[in-house]
Amino acid sequence: MSGPALPAGLRKLAPAERKALWERLYFDGTEAAAAGNAGSEALELSDLLVESAVGALTLPLGIAQGFLIDGRRYDLPLAVEEPSVIAAAGYAARIVAEGGGFVTEADEPLMESYVYLEGVSAEGEARLASEGAEARIRAALGAIQGSLERRGGGYRGRRVYRLPETGLVALELSVDVRDAMGANILNTAAETVKSQAEELSGGKALMCILSNASPRRLARARFELPLAALAPFARGFSADEAARRVVLAWRLADEDPARAVTHNKGIMNGVASLAQATLNDTRAVEAAAHAWAARSGRLRSLSRYEIADGSLRGAIELPLALGAVGGSVDLHPAGKAALRLLGDPDSRRLARIAAALGLAQNFAAVLALVTGGIQKGHMRLHAARLAYKAGARGDDARRAADIVAAGGAYTLAAAEAAVASLRAGAGS
Ligand code: NAD
């Protein structure tokens, strides 16, 4: 059953009025509203960041500890609603630390933006690709990218090509966006050269827009874990056999797109949660990663594993356009706090941390899957959710979850019965 309609002119109301209306109409009482919608300071920020804000979602924020990345210890802030993501990341991080941790690297933060032109003749295309055009484009961009250039970034070159199906001509601009995610910088760059592109090509621009693909802004992470160090985590398997099964699981994900989707989703559990905690654009990061995984025309694994010299080796490579400044990142206090915890990294360091996290998340999932499955841990967390749904809070919620887990029936009815039995016990 749907709730009462919100007024059509919602956006014209004062933010506090919108929030009050939203909470009164759609939450089950003030306690639920307080748990599910953040307070008035958060509302002010939401109202600045988005249109028609009615609140700020209280997404769980947790810390995955135990990461050793390039010789340095890290605690990672993750914002995510899915149970087990943070526990799994920390679990894998601690295993990998036994072998010396993660080694990472990241490319320069190069991104591409496009002016798509229609009605361009072969001569116009050649003019746009000429050296003279290059000078004009560079000059136009130099005029708006002074601060980026002072930071070592800015325009890095262009490419002109025709798309055979639509006949559109693309002017691709490469820009080093330094510590920004870069979307606005790139869109501004394309719009800045639009008139020059039209004049030079004789065509008309259809649109000016960045691409989120970021295929030259890759980050990589790897680890090497001696099989002896894996042994305590092999859950009934020998270390050799557990490692062999991990490698086979990777080959499966690389072969079967049906498995690759979920394999890569597991990687993004970590990466997107870090992106969320730092107030980065999670959709941009997701789109780029999945496109990269499908670049051969078939969806494949973003990670890979092998056994060599008595060790299990894991590695990952993916595009990571994460901002350490700009957008909402350095505006939102939660984003700033998250970055502070990470030691105020630049965008490349942040990408390297995210790559290590993605690999840790993947290793945790694959190791669990091939050594007994993931459901047991998940169901324990599910029991806690059921207990909450059944009305239990605090210690009672933990006790009710224990009762549900011990009974093995993960249903709301079982949770309600557990809560009722606890209340009866407390009343007697
Ligand atoms: P932005 O617009 O805030 O630009 C970055 C700013 O930071 C610039 O003004 C730059 O001068 C400044 N800056 C300070 N120190 C810097 C440094 N060391 N390196 C680089 N810049 C520095 O942010 P942006 O990164 O250009 O754009 C990101 C925002 O754009 C996100 O909110 C994203 O959601 C949004 N967006 C995304 C898309 C998309 O992904 N398709 C499209 C449009 C907008």
Side-chain angles (χ1 to χ4, degrees):
M1 201 178 68
S2 61
L6 289 165
L10 186 70
R11 72 186 174 82
K12 293 187 195 137
L13 297 182
E17 284 182 276
R18 272 187 246 128
K19 182 175 189 282
L21 189 65
W22 168 242
E23 291 179 358
R24 182 163 55 74
L25 294 180
Y26 284 91
F27 281 83
D28 300 326
T30 48
E31 229 177 77
N37 202 13
S40 47
E41 288 84 1
L43 176 68
E44 192 179 333
L45 193 56
S46 292
D47 196 51
L48 182 74
L49 295 177
V50 303
E51 285 244 318
S52 296
V54 293
L57 200 62
T58 54
L59 194 62
L61 174 69
I63 310 292
Q65 294 197 291
F67 278 81
L68 182 58
I69 303 172
D70 301 316
R72 189 186 148 171
R73 296 263 163 206
Y74 283 94
D75 290 342
L76 307 188
L78 304 184
V80 61
E81 86 300 338
E82 185 177 342
S84 81
V85 167
I86 294 171
Y91 180 71
R94 284 188 287 279
I95 301 176
V96 169
E98 303 277 317
F102 297 93
V103 177
T104 68
E105 57 183 53
D107 296 340
E108 296 291 329
L110 266 188
M111 303 265 295
E112 282 74 39
S113 192
Y114 296 82
V115 183
Y116 291 106
L117 298 143
E118 63 178 334
V120 178
S121 65
E123 296 74 41
E125 186 183 343
R127 252 192 327 272
L128 190 59
S130 70
E131 283 303 311
E134 167 73 9
R136 280 186 65 182
I137 287 167
R138 188 175 286 279
L141 289 175
I144 60 149
Q145 291 188 341
S147 65
L148 201 55
E149 284 173 6
R150 277 193 296 282
R151 294 187 178 101
Y155 177 61
R156 290 290 181 268
R158 102 220 117 115
R159 198 161 67 98
V160 175
Y161 59 90
R162 191 178 291 273
L163 293 155
E165 285 176 28
T166 55
L168 291 166
V169 165
L171 167 62
E172 177 190 84
L173 309 169
S174 290
V175 179
D176 182 325
V177 298
R178 290 289 92 195
D179 295 316
M181 177 265 191
N184 286 324
I185 293 174
L186 290 158
N187 285 342
T188 305
E191 286 183 9
T192 298
V193 302
K194 176 182 151 184
S195 57
Q196 280 94 347
E198 287 184 331
E199 225 175 86
L200 287 157
S201 69
K204 174 102 186 109
L206 177 69
M207 67 173 77
C208 302
I209 184 74
L210 86 149
S211 170
N212 287 108
S214 345
R216 295 203 281 162
R217 197 176 180 178
L218 300 175
R220 296 164 208 90
R222 62 191 154 80
F223 70 81
E224 190 164 329
L225 186 66
L227 292 177
L230 176 64
F233 308 98
R235 296 205 292 183
F237 290 84
S238 70
D240 287 34
E241 180 59 1
R244 188 193 67 78
R245 289 169 70 86
V246 165
V247 174
L248 186 57
W250 157 64
R251 288 178 53 211
L252 164 66
D254 213 43
E255 179 177 14
D256 185 356
R259 173 66 199 129
V261 172
T262 314
H263 181 92
N264 291 341
K265 185 269 181 187
I267 289 168
M268 299 314 284
N269 275 344
V271 175
S273 303
L274 181 69
Q276 190 73 80
T278 53
L279 273 293
N280 262 283
D281 186 330
T282 56
R283 289 83 54 214
V285 172
E286 294 269 5
H290 297 301
W292 178 252
R295 68 193 180 283
S296 67
R298 188 176 89 202
L299 190 69
R300 309 190 78 140
S301 168
L302 287 167
S303 64
R304 69 195 139 76
Y305 293 89
E306 64 175 2
I307 299 167
D309 303 329
S311 289
L312 174 67
R313 291 179 181 167
I316 193 169
E317 179 184 66
L318 74 170
L320 279 165
L322 290 168
V325 298
S328 304
V329 173
D330 56 3
L331 184 65
H332 200 295
K336 287 203 279 191
L339 288 173
R340 207 168 290 145
L341 174 66
L342 297 172
D344 285 320
D346 62 13
S347 71
R348 291 172 75 195
R349 168 57 56 189
L350 185 57
R352 292 166 67 167
I353 294 168
L357 169 62
L359 182 57
Q361 207 79 55
N362 181 243
F363 179 48
V366 171
L367 184 63
L369 281 168
V370 300
T371 58
I374 56 170
Q375 259 334 67
K376 201 166 167 224
H378 278 206
M379 292 318 278
R380 179 65 190 77
L381 291 161
H382 187 54
R385 292 178 152 208
L386 288 170
Y388 187 92
K389 264 193 187 171
R393 298 289 182 273
D395 274 352
D396 270 2
R398 272 182 284 281
R399 276 191 220 112
D402 286 343
I403 296 171
V404 170
Y410 294 90
T411 62
L412 185 57
E416 282 167 350
V419 172
S421 73
L422 284 174
R423 284 186 184 150
S428 61

